[in-house]
Amino acid sequence: MLIQVALAVPLFRHFDYLPMASGLPVIGARVLVPFGAQKLVGIVIGHIDEAQSEVPKNKLKAILSVIDDEPIFDDRLLSLANWLSNYYHYPLGDVLSVMMPKLIRQGKPLDLLTTHWRILPSATEADLPARAHKQQAQFAMLKLHGEHGASEDVLLMEGMERSFLTMLEKKGMIERFEKPKAPPKPVSLAKLPLTLTGEQQAVVDAVIGAHESQSYAGILLNGITGSGKTEVYLQAMQHVLEAGQQVLILVPEIGLTPQTRARFASRFAANIVLLHSAMNPTHRLQGWQDCKSGHAQIVIGTRSTILYPFTNLGLIVVDEAHDSSYKQQDSLRYHAADVALYRGAGLKIPVILGSATPSLEHLKLVDDGKLSEYQLLKRAGGASTAKMKLIDARLQSTYQQTTPDGERYNTGLTDALIDAIRRTLDAGEQVLIFLNRRGYAPILLCEACGWQADCPRCDAHLTVHFSNQLINQGNLSQSYLKCHHCDWQSYIPPVCPDCQSQNLDARGMGTTRLSENLHAIFGNPQTSKTVYPIIQIDRDTTRRKDSWEKIYRQINEGKPAILVGTQMVAKGHHFPNVTLVCLPNADRGFLSADFRSPEHTAQLMIQVAGRAGRGDKAGQVLIQTLQPENPLLLKLIRDGYLPFAQALLAERKVMGLPPYRFAALVRCEAKTLAAANQALKDAIAILPKPHHLAVLGPIDAPMTKKNSRYHVQLLLLAKERRQLHHVLNHWWSQVLQLPSAKYLKLTLDIDPISW
């Protein structure tokens, strides 16, 4: 017998190897094999007779070692991998590689040992500096666990810092040791559930009914912001957890995982595992093993978690299911919500897609009878929906601010918006201002000759990153130009490189500039009777570890403050004292060339608006616009999201666009534009005929030059999904073998979300 092995190489095939003398490794196990001059870790996917191999036996190599005695990929997980490979037209070996954390791909042995810490008998508080109050407090916390110590996970949840443990170990005060993981205790309620409304109870009953009958149910939970979707998740989970099964909760952003964990931990006494890309490789490995072994009872993770193994999964919840971050944009370009529905159908378990602004694709699935829709139309606790109001920026004067030098500048906010912010703060409430553009300003312009600071590697302007407060503190590193597409950076020039003029002006507004403008108005004791904090929330301010948690705690203290944030603040956060939401730049999304932009803009606006009035106070949303007569904007404000979405669906149907057509996008990346275009022209030439597909391209990508490479794309549209994949099954592998495609990067994106 021979062994078939899938390897993480960009080839649509598997590889045959001779077994070791000890026998055949089990299917689904990892093996170390020779591959050319390399040694690679692969997955055993089959056993075959020698006669079935296309390679002569004298040319076959033997595997080097067997890493796993038991399969790490069971039949169901291998079936999922094969479906992902076939649907997304991605090599099986690469699919399996994506499904494994880094350390497993590298061949690290699996175990269920956990790190524990205990105090050595000779250690006392006197060994620590007397004034190191934080160290004294953390040592006392560890001491409470006695001579047997505690696991590192427990200590970290209690607030212990890993650096402190390492420091004590170096001092010889504590020691680490490994212990096998004990099976988790049965899940119990830590807090009684709330009383459900009739709408909420209908959803919970549907989930329980599907679970008890061991049947698949795809549920679209269409609930307005603040309608109690999380309570529905909790009570649906309770039934599954009490039956001894696991629950997977997917969230779109890393920032939501700690908040979500806290809410679920307050309801259930259970082993809750967090999984996201910011974790170090060791913790990702431990989380993967906990999912596979069943130690993890509640799993909260971002999109890649849907590819993890589960021993007894009973329910999948995809929160904010409309969010575009569920779509992987490189390597295996899967959509986590689609994979969740596929896994649910295979496991015969319920899957909940929760959203206040469902995607058009999910609404189409409801129309087709493939999802059951349940609506939550009222906010929980009797809270009223925030009222939305347009401010015509053409008819309003813009608030002018005076600098210490006596110069006046435009804040970008109308007087009406400033007055509303001031009234809200004076009432002891919080304001959220949404601006989906980080940095200080998007453009650096020379007023003398018109020069602009552009990225030398991309077709994009460099964003100005600048902070007056940090510059005044002597931190000059906070002043620079940066490309948000390739991360290229440079210093801000003192004069124009073209004409040597000093009249360089930062045009436009990012979150940093807006925060400084607001600080000058509301946070400066010289201009404001009461000084209010300005809290900036974007990738720049939340990059450091635990920074988002600290910001979140500050907001939830409930003190009057202004929150300035990007789309990070739009997703599922609960700020009970925010009563006013301002959108000072609501026009951009409705003017984009991307046909999906109106949908995504409307979702973002509704999600941000949903942060207002979530407590016991009424909320208001002010939308500052230069186009108050825009029909799409008016329909969204007057009729709400669902009628707006139905209008977009009707438009898409007439135009023959997704979700009424099925799309595949071929992207080509090359050193020259001509080479990329030629490769796609050659690809079109070998399409089978007749193919009955709409072929659009080759055309330049929305950003033609990125990171010193040129990008061109080709769009294929089909009336039927089967029709599209029938063509791709044979054509795509031929495209990759084209002579003109050599040394180019060609990728295929099934169901792309933008082009």
Side-chain angles (χ1 to χ4, degrees), residues 240-253:
V240 176
L241 293 168
E242 288 175 347
Q245 291 187 275
Q246 297 168 292
V247 174
L248 170 61
I249 314 291
L250 293 181
V251 293
E253 292 284 348

Side-chain angles (χ1 to χ4, degrees), residues 198-481:
E199 291 178 338
Q200 292 173 316
Q201 190 64 56
V203 188
V204 174
D205 290 344
V207 174
I208 292 175
H211 181 261
E212 289 181 340
S213 62
Q214 298 182 2
S215 59
Y216 163 71
I219 294 172
L220 176 62
L221 180 54
N222 183 356
I224 64 172
T225 54
S227 60
K229 292 188 290 294
T230 303
E231 185 62 29
V232 171
Y233 303 156
L234 289 166
Q235 297 205 26
M237 289 168 56
Q238 181 180 341
H239 179 83
V240 176
L241 293 168
E242 288 175 347
Q245 291 187 275
Q246 297 168 292
V247 174
L248 170 61
I249 314 291
L250 293 181
V251 293
E253 292 284 348
I254 293 173
L256 288 175
T257 46
Q259 172 195 340
T260 308
R261 187 197 188 284
R263 297 190 71 174
F264 288 99
S266 67
R267 177 65 59 89
F268 298 110
N271 184 21
I272 302 176
V273 171
L274 299 184
L275 293 168
H276 51 74
S277 59
M279 302 174 71
N280 65 47
T282 300
H283 284 109
R284 288 182 70 83
L285 171 62
Q286 291 175 349
W288 191 91
Q289 292 185 94
D290 285 343
C291 292
K292 186 178 186 302
S293 65
H295 281 78
Q297 295 164 313
I298 300 174
V299 181
I300 302 169
T302 47
R303 63 172 175 257
S304 62
T305 316
I306 192 60
L307 305 179
Y308 276 38
F310 295 90
T311 186
N312 194 14
L313 191 59
L315 172 66
I316 301 174
V317 175
V318 185
D319 195 26
E320 309 291 350
H322 66 278
D323 199 280
S324 59
S325 61
Y326 283 122
K327 173 71 172 178
Q328 176 70 29
Q329 297 292 354
D330 55 24
S331 65
L332 175 63
R333 289 171 166 78
Y334 65 94
H335 196 295
D338 295 340
V339 179
L341 293 173
Y342 179 85
R343 289 199 80 170
L347 296 171
K348 296 182 179 180
I349 60 173
V351 179
I352 303 175
L353 307 182
S355 176
T357 54
S359 69
L360 299 193
E361 280 73 15
H362 293 157
L363 292 174
K364 176 68 164 50
L365 289 177
V366 171
D367 293 341
D368 294 342
K370 296 179 180 179
L371 286 178
S372 300
E373 183 182 22
Y374 292 84
Q375 294 187 356
L376 304 180
L377 302 177
K378 296 180 180 179
R379 280 194 159 182
S384 59
T385 306
K387 296 180 180 179
M388 303 179 75
K389 179 183 176 182
L390 293 178
I391 295 179
D392 189 345
R394 300 170 305 179
L395 305 178
Q396 290 274 339
S397 58
T398 304
Y399 191 88
Q400 301 290 318
Q401 183 65 26
T402 305
T403 67
D405 299 331
E407 298 181 5
R408 295 180 66 80
Y409 65 91
N410 193 336
T411 63
L413 305 175
T414 59
D415 290 339
L417 212 57
I418 293 292
D419 290 342
I421 293 170
R422 182 174 283 111
R423 288 195 302 270
T424 303
L425 294 173
D426 290 344
E429 298 162 359
Q430 294 174 336
V431 179
L432 170 60
I433 303 179
F434 174 75
L435 183 64
N436 203 23
R437 181 185 279 159
R438 63 190 177 100
Y440 186 79
I443 296 173
L444 182 66
L445 177 72
C446 175
E447 294 182 331
C449 71
W451 170 86
Q452 295 182 44
D454 292 330
C455 177
R457 303 194 299 193
C458 303
D459 290 336
H461 300 306
L462 293 172
T463 299
V464 181
H465 283 260
F466 181 84
S467 173
N468 278 315
Q469 296 177 5
L470 293 174
I471 296 300
N472 293 337
Q473 296 170 10
N475 192 344
L476 298 179
S477 65
Q478 296 298 317
S479 175
Y480 57 93
L481 298 171

